[in-house]
Amino acid sequence: MADVLFTGTQLAYLAAASLFIVGLKQLGSPATARNGNRLGAIGMAIAIVATLLDRQILGYRDIAIGLAIGTAVGAIAAYRVAMTAMPQMVGFLNGLGGLSSSLVAIGASWHAVTALQPMAGDQNFSILLGIAIGNVTFSGSVLAFAKLQGILPGGPVVLPFQKVVDGLLLVGFVVASGMFLQDTTNLPAFAIANLISLILGVVLVLPIGGGDMPVVISLLNSLSGLAASAAGFVVQNNALVVSGALVGASGLILTQIMCKAMNRSLGSVVFGGFGGGTSSGARGPETRTTKEIDSEEAAMLLGYARSVAIVPGYGMAVAQAQHAVRELADALEKRGVEVKFAIHPVAGRMPGHMNVLLAEANVPYSQLCDMEDINAQFENVDVALVIGANDVVNPAARSDRSSPIYGMPILEVDKAKHAIAIKRGMSKGFAGVENELFFANKTSMLFGNAKEVVAQLSAALKQL
Amino acid sequence: MSESLIAALFVFVLASFTGFEVINKVPPTLHTPLMSGANAISGISVVGALLVAGLDREPSLTTALGLFAVIFAMVNVVGGFLVTDRMLEMFRSKGG
């Protein structure tokens, strides 16, 4: 009987893993994405039910309560979160996944100690891996959440002697791990290994911030998968190993895409701060002038253009201006102006951030253009309207070899016939470099809060 | 290394390659949903949590650790899938 049950459970896990693979595949294409997500959810339900049926021990009541609490909290969070808060939400969920994997490893280890059933050496190694990855994911995600939510300053914070601190922590973790492997009942060593891995997550994310956040978010996503895999090694469960590996791989691909979109290596994002601050302050105070216009003038430029490209950036997300932007786009289209949205892959604070916001505001998918597509068209664009984007439209990335962002693929707004840039002030972008675009002759600056300014533009457009 | 660990390692590596193959070439619009959908799948640790919660016959620290892991993983699973669905619904409702 037990054999049949075991086989049944394992086959259910196999079915779940297959559903995850098909689901992820379908998530990669707009037509099937929603169905893919559902397949994933069905796979998860199968895995959970199979596990519950397989358990031959009492205690269902507590487990049911645990499942119910988790479900309720998850559902409420999912329905209440604002789309502008999606980066935090993803960070928050990543963190819980990591914490859960880490608790699985700790629980299994504690059981081995208290039940006097010591595990094999390699399994103890898995436990260490599980707590290390799980804890780093947890504390790193908590920190990322705090930065994105504005609880902590969002920019990078580099500790003095950062590399020394990192090194010491790593050594400490290895030593504590060694002591635990020697004697798995050595609780202090185990506790210290846990503590150090929690601190490691903090020091890993602390020096990363601002425009590098998309990399961190997708990296933590990848780690949360690896943590689940490691927990799978601990409890010897293939469902965890497979699913964790899938998520780990997908997160890694996204991380790579983000790094490529900034022309930076993962190493330089995680360990580098930004470009080591080489040329940013080298030119002394800025003496060039910008050309400023008001919203009436800007509305006139936009209203009488044939084609307009809107370039959203993090500033649009901060001001929650996506609905106002959509209204402006509608008003322009009503006048017969062709409107497109130019989306840079790393604009915002997580992969695909701008797409989510514009989708929330009901901007049609056909209006959104990827970087490659729109760059080929900028020469035919009459007015490029930059809303709260900075580094991703800085032509220095193409021309200035000494610039920290040199080589980063950009939206070639400077090739449009006119550019209007909506900005709160003349502050520099995340990379800390001046933006040539804002000083160019054909660029006009429109200062103010993105949401208010865009609403003024719509209003002024009606007066034309 | 034990045989079971070797087997698990094979599974891990092959699944990783599968993941790379399956997810390559995703359009930017789907980056966020893909990430949060994958994130929900990483909540599979709920299975490990259920196993740990059931290890001891009497309530113990192990049980408690397992139960907390169940709660956290379940938030991850339910929150992840639902929020992804919410996003994808928006993507579709524009009739594109």
Side-chain angles (χ1 to χ4, degrees):
Chain A
M1 179 60 200
D3 244 17
V4 177
L5 205 54
F6 175 80
T7 310
T9 313
Q10 294 302 315
L11 289 179
Y13 288 157
L14 188 59
S18 310
L19 283 171
F20 291 155
I21 293 174
V22 178
L24 279 172
K25 173 97 189 154
Q26 296 198 352
L27 264 174
S29 147
T32 54
R34 204 165 176 206
N35 195 45
N37 186 52
R38 283 190 187 133
L39 288 184
I42 293 170
M44 189 63 74
I46 291 177
I48 292 173
V49 170
T51 313
L52 286 173
L53 289 180
D54 185 38
R55 285 185 61 257
Q56 292 136 20
I57 318 105
L58 298 173
Y60 273 100
R61 197 196 48 145
D62 293 346
I63 284 178
I65 293 174
L67 286 172
I69 295 177
T71 303
V73 174
I76 293 171
Y79 281 116
R80 295 194 55 176
V81 66
M83 280 302 142
T84 40
M86 271 316 288
Q88 294 93 303
M89 177 73 177
V90 173
F92 167 72
L93 293 175
N94 269 335
L96 289 182
L99 179 61
S100 155
S101 300
S102 169
L103 288 178
V104 168
I106 295 173
S109 160
W110 182 251
H111 174 74
V113 172
T114 50
L116 301 175
Q117 297 169 342
M119 296 195 190
D122 46 23
Q123 224 175 333
N124 286 318
F125 192 77
S126 309
I127 287 178
L128 285 168
L129 217 56
I131 62 155
I133 307 176
N135 286 344
V136 166
T137 310
F138 171 58
S139 60
S141 298
V142 169
L143 190 61
F145 175 85
K147 282 187 173 205
L148 291 164
Q149 185 73 26
I151 300 169
L152 290 175
V157 179
V158 181
L159 299 170
F161 308 114
Q162 173 90 40
K163 290 203 169 116
V164 180
V165 174
D166 292 355
L168 284 177
L169 285 170
L170 271 180
V171 171
F173 182 79
V174 170
V175 170
S177 298
M179 288 167 71
F180 171 75
L181 287 175
Q182 287 262 313
D183 170 15
T184 51
T185 58
N186 188 343
L187 285 182
F190 190 60
I192 290 174
N194 267 293
L195 185 68
I196 292 182
S197 48
L198 283 172
I199 300 174
L200 269 172
V202 173
V203 297
L204 183 78
V205 176
L206 205 57
I208 318 176
D212 281 342
M213 282 321 269
V215 179
V216 183
I217 293 291
S218 53
L219 187 62
L220 287 170
N221 187 34
S222 175
L223 282 179
S224 77
L226 294 180
S229 247
F233 278 94
V234 173
V235 295
Q236 305 198 324
N237 184 302
N238 275 334
L240 267 73
V241 174
V242 174
S243 323
L246 289 172
V247 179
S250 82
L252 214 54
I253 289 182
L254 261 186
T255 311
Q256 262 176 349
I257 295 175
M258 293 301 114
C259 285
K260 221 170 120 194
M262 296 196 298
N263 190 38
R264 299 177 65 200
S265 70
L266 182 56
S268 86
V269 173
V270 176
F271 300 111
F274 209 104
T278 39
S279 77
S280 38
R283 264 181 226 154
E286 186 55 61
T287 51
R288 290 170 296 172
T289 51
T290 56
K291 197 169 69 186
E292 207 178 320
I293 56 170
D294 56 24
S295 45
E296 279 85 29
E297 239 180 301
M300 211 129 49
L301 266 177
L302 291 166
Y304 292 110
R306 259 182 309 113
S307 79
V308 168
I310 298 179
V311 184
Y314 184 55
M316 180 185 84
V318 172
Q320 312 208 352
Q322 67 270 28
H323 295 282
V325 169
R326 152 94 204 270
E327 278 158 30
L328 176 65
D330 282 353
L332 284 170
E333 288 220 304
K334 218 177 268 172
R335 296 179 57 88
V337 181
E338 188 196 10
V339 180
K340 283 188 175 130
F341 286 85
I343 317 265
H344 194 281
V346 294
R349 289 297 179 262
M350 70 175 169
H353 196 176
M354 293 302 124
N355 300 81
V356 172
L357 292 181
L358 293 173
E360 190 206 6
N362 278 320
V363 172
Y365 182 63
S366 52
Q367 274 190 341
L368 308 184
C369 298
D370 295 351
M371 183 162 56
E372 291 82 29
D373 299 338
I374 195 77
N375 271 349
Q377 302 172 32
F378 263 122
E379 281 168 27
N380 301 319
V381 167
D382 293 322
V383 183
L385 179 64
V386 180
I387 305 176
N390 194 342
D391 292 330
V392 296
V393 294
N394 191 341
R398 247 185 0 239
S399 55
D400 182 1
R401 278 184 179 281
S402 68
S403 172
I405 60 168
Y406 179 73
M408 168 170 150
I410 58 157
L411 292 166
E412 297 175 339
V413 168
D414 55 325
K415 292 197 174 151
K417 294 185 187 101
H418 292 278
I420 300 173
I422 299 177
K423 251 171 109 15
R424 267 177 305 183
M426 276 312 286
S427 62
K428 292 170 187 168
F430 164 66
V433 282
E434 290 291 358
N435 194 336
E436 298 296 320
L437 178 73
F438 301 151
F439 299 101
N441 255 336
K442 56 186 182 185
T443 305
S444 314
M445 303 300 293
L446 186 51
F447 291 112
N449 169 287
K451 194 174 177 178
E452 288 159 21
V453 171
V454 171
Q456 283 166 17
L457 285 177
S458 299
L461 215 49
K462 287 196 190 111
Q463 310 293 319
L464 285 184
Chain B
M1 280 198 275
S2 66
E3 236 172 84
S4 61
L5 186 71
I6 298 272
L9 215 51
F10 266 89
V11 170
F12 174 76
V13 173
L14 294 179
S16 301
F17 279 110
T18 310
F20 281 123
E21 283 307 315
V22 162
I23 290 142
N24 249 333
K25 289 266 166 207
V26 172
T29 304
L30 288 175
H31 281 168
T32 303
L34 174 72
M35 192 171 60
S36 67
N39 177 244
I41 292 176
S42 79
I44 187 71
S45 56
V46 69
V47 166
L50 288 170
L51 294 174
V52 168
L55 276 176
D56 286 342
R57 276 173 186 279
E58 297 296 317
S60 65
L61 181 59
T62 306
T63 319
L65 287 167
L67 279 178
F68 275 109
V70 167
I71 296 175
F72 296 142
M74 211 52 198
V75 175
N76 188 180
V77 167
V78 175
F81 281 124
L82 285 182
V83 89
T84 308
D85 192 63
R86 225 184 106 192
M87 262 188 281
L88 291 170
E89 187 180 15
M90 285 175 352
F91 279 35
R92 232 180 41 158
S93 65
K94 313 161 298 186

